[in-house]
Amino acid sequence: MYCPCDVTKFKDLENLLHQSCKPYGHVSIWVNNAGIQSETRHRPFSNKAMMDTVRENVQKILSINLQAVIEGSKLAIRHMKDHGHGGSVINMSSLSAFIPLSNAPVYSATKAGVNQFTRAAGLHLGPENPIKVHAICPGFVDTPLISDMRQMIEHEVGEKLISADEIASAALELISPKDPNMQNGSIMKERLSCLSSI
């Protein structure tokens, strides 16, 4: 199934949910995956980005990376409550929520916001609720968005980029957790070696 969706438009989110329900009757897994990092094209750990980010770019990053996650999560949770089947909402965050990128301060701020929203939503729903909300915080993922910086990132970070398959596996683990005591609102970090100093 293919359904175009501008996540900054609530009607598009509603239509996506509606179209997704057609073949299955309801939605039990919702992943807020849209995100952008369009502040600059400086090196990943450059300190030249703060003053270069224009107002329009800031609003666009906030709208896609944070507001759309909040609206999408609320929409999915409301749907899951109405249908009484439970389900999982997964929000795609980033390790930059813990280790902010100096060349992407607004992006880093939105991902910290995603984490806190996820934790708060999990607390609001409670541990016994069949609806779970979690977040995944990957490091640099091997996608076309950073293809031209792959070697530079691997050299400066000291690790290979994360594959899309690794992210999918992390999502599946959150949907069907091996740990029965996993708290609602949990945050999964990918590549913990990046967090050795925290």
Side-chain angles (χ1 to χ4, degrees):
M1 186 193 81
Y2 172 75
C3 180
C5 177
D6 180 346
V7 296
T8 66
K9 298 177 180 177
F10 188 70
K11 287 186 176 180
D12 276 20
L13 288 171
E14 288 184 312
N15 181 59
L16 176 61
L17 179 60
H18 176 71
Q19 296 299 325
S20 300
C21 287
K22 283 184 176 179
Y24 308 110
H26 69 276
V27 168
S28 57
I29 299 169
W30 181 275
V31 181
N32 290 302
N33 188 53
I36 59 169
Q37 197 293 85
S38 59
E39 291 176 75
T40 70
R41 296 297 293 173
H42 292 305
R43 292 169 65 87
F45 302 100
S46 165
N47 61 0
K48 298 179 180 179
M50 179 70 80
M51 301 306 296
D52 293 350
T53 308
V54 297
R55 182 183 179 90
E56 291 76 13
N57 245 12
V58 170
Q59 188 57 55
K60 185 175 182 180
I61 296 167
L62 289 169
S63 296
I64 294 174
N65 291 10
L66 183 56
Q67 185 173 352
V69 170
I70 294 171
E71 297 294 347
S73 296
K74 290 168 60 179
L75 184 67
I77 290 169
R78 190 177 301 114
H79 167 81
M80 292 170 186
K81 281 183 175 180
D82 290 345
H83 285 76
H85 294 286
S88 294
V89 175
I90 297 177
N91 297 323
M92 200 58 60
S93 185
S94 166
L95 283 183
S96 66
F98 302 95
I99 307 173
L101 299 174
S102 60
N103 75 317
V106 180
Y107 174 87
S108 300
T110 61
K111 295 306 182 178
V114 168
N115 282 8
Q116 290 299 81
F117 170 77
T118 300
R119 289 187 176 110
L123 288 171
H124 173 75
L125 291 170
E128 305 303 324
N129 199 303
I131 302 171
K132 307 298 181 184
V133 184
H134 300 301
I136 300 174
C137 299
F140 291 101
V141 182
D142 192 0
T143 69
L145 291 175
I146 59 171
S147 59
D148 59 334
M149 298 187 291
R150 181 181 291 109
Q151 290 185 340
M152 178 176 59
I153 291 171
E154 289 183 346
H155 174 73
E156 297 198 28
V157 174
E159 287 189 346
K160 288 188 175 182
L161 300 181
I162 299 169
S163 70
D165 286 344
E166 289 179 89
I167 303 302
S169 296
L172 290 173
E173 186 174 335
L174 288 174
I175 292 166
S176 301
K178 297 175 183 177
D179 181 3
N181 297 315
M182 180 180 286
Q183 293 184 354
N184 207 348
S186 293
I187 308 296
M188 176 181 282
K189 307 177 185 106
E190 280 294 305
R191 299 291 173 88
L192 287 175
S193 58
C194 292
L195 298 173
S196 59
S197 63
I198 292 181

